[in-house]
Amino acid sequence: FAGFKEVIASALWVRADEFFHQGLYPAILPIVRMVTWLDPHNISVYTTGAWHMDYNFVDENNRSDKRYIPQSIALLKEGIENNPNRWDLYFELGWTHYGKKLEDYAGSLRYIQLACQQHGVDPNTGEKVDRPAFVDRALAHAYERVGDFNNSVKQWEKSAVRAKELVSGGKTPAEYADKSGEATC
């Protein structure tokens, strides 16, 4: 029965995507809630659902509707409760705070720091994989936004060292790119 819930959740998620492409945004929220209830470990539903609320839902004047931001934040925090060891959710929460809607750079810094303490998970094997390098670079930007230039420079230096290690280790960009959201069939 446990696997059946994930199948139903996947079918509902496909339907939510259809609603998105039809511009039927209000229909997406109940589906996001059902899918996270059925499959609380589906990271994409939390991140994409929050992204829809943060950026895609608009008011009657076709302007970004900030009324959905608290729901977006609550959804990401729920995702973190259900999946505490994933960088993705912390990063998205940090980005929500960083973005033009909130400009809460201290909140952004806190969550991106937490993202930098986590790794990704290969959905095919369940093994830990490195988080993508852009997460660490975002931390440097977050330090800069709060005026902590010393830590910003240190973080840029760490990012440069990591990039050099990846390149000098003979890995191709495809080998060190984020694979935590890719599932193969």
Side-chain angles (χ1 to χ4, degrees):
F1 180 71
F4 184 70
K5 289 191 327 185
E6 285 81 8
V7 170
I8 297 297
S10 294
L12 286 169
W13 192 234
V14 168
R15 188 68 175 135
D17 187 59
E18 292 170 3
F19 285 147
F20 170 72
H21 290 290
Q22 294 170 2
L24 301 172
Y25 304 133
I28 295 171
L29 292 179
I31 293 177
V32 167
R33 299 310 310 146
M34 285 188 281
V35 172
T36 58
W37 177 73
L38 289 167
D39 187 3
H41 303 295
N42 188 330
I43 303 302
S44 293
V45 176
Y46 291 109
T47 59
T48 305
W51 175 71
H52 282 317
M53 288 183 256
D54 280 346
Y55 298 101
N56 290 334
F57 294 171
V58 293
D59 65 14
E60 60 276 353
N61 296 316
N62 209 27
R63 292 181 307 219
S64 180
D65 194 339
K66 292 184 178 186
R67 294 176 297 179
Y68 288 101
I69 293 174
Q71 287 177 281
S72 170
I73 290 170
L75 180 65
L76 289 168
K77 287 182 176 180
E78 176 187 315
I80 289 170
E81 281 182 38
N82 291 325
N83 305 279
N85 299 317
R86 293 291 303 266
W87 69 269
D88 326 48
L89 298 165
Y90 294 101
F91 179 81
E92 291 297 332
L93 193 49
W95 189 251
T96 296
H97 284 76
Y98 187 93
K100 294 285 183 201
K101 291 185 178 184
L102 290 182
E103 295 181 343
D104 172 12
Y105 299 117
S108 175
L109 174 62
R110 181 179 36 168
Y111 289 112
I112 294 175
Q113 284 174 321
L114 290 169
C116 286
Q117 296 171 12
Q118 308 301 324
H119 292 282
V121 176
D122 184 315
N124 299 307
T125 64
E127 293 179 23
K128 285 185 180 180
V129 295
D130 286 338
R131 71 184 161 275
F134 72 81
V135 177
D136 296 77
R137 293 191 304 268
L139 181 57
H141 286 293
Y143 278 127
E144 182 182 340
R145 285 294 193 164
V146 298
D148 188 346
F149 299 110
N150 289 333
N151 276 323
S152 179
V153 169
K154 288 177 187 174
Q155 188 61 34
W156 279 118
E157 289 169 346
K158 286 180 187 177
S159 293
V161 167
R162 181 176 179 203
K164 287 177 186 175
E165 288 172 352
L166 290 169
V167 172
S168 68
K171 288 188 174 183
T172 66
E175 290 175 303
Y176 57 79
D178 173 35
K179 296 193 181 353
S180 61
E182 297 176 8
T184 59
C185 297

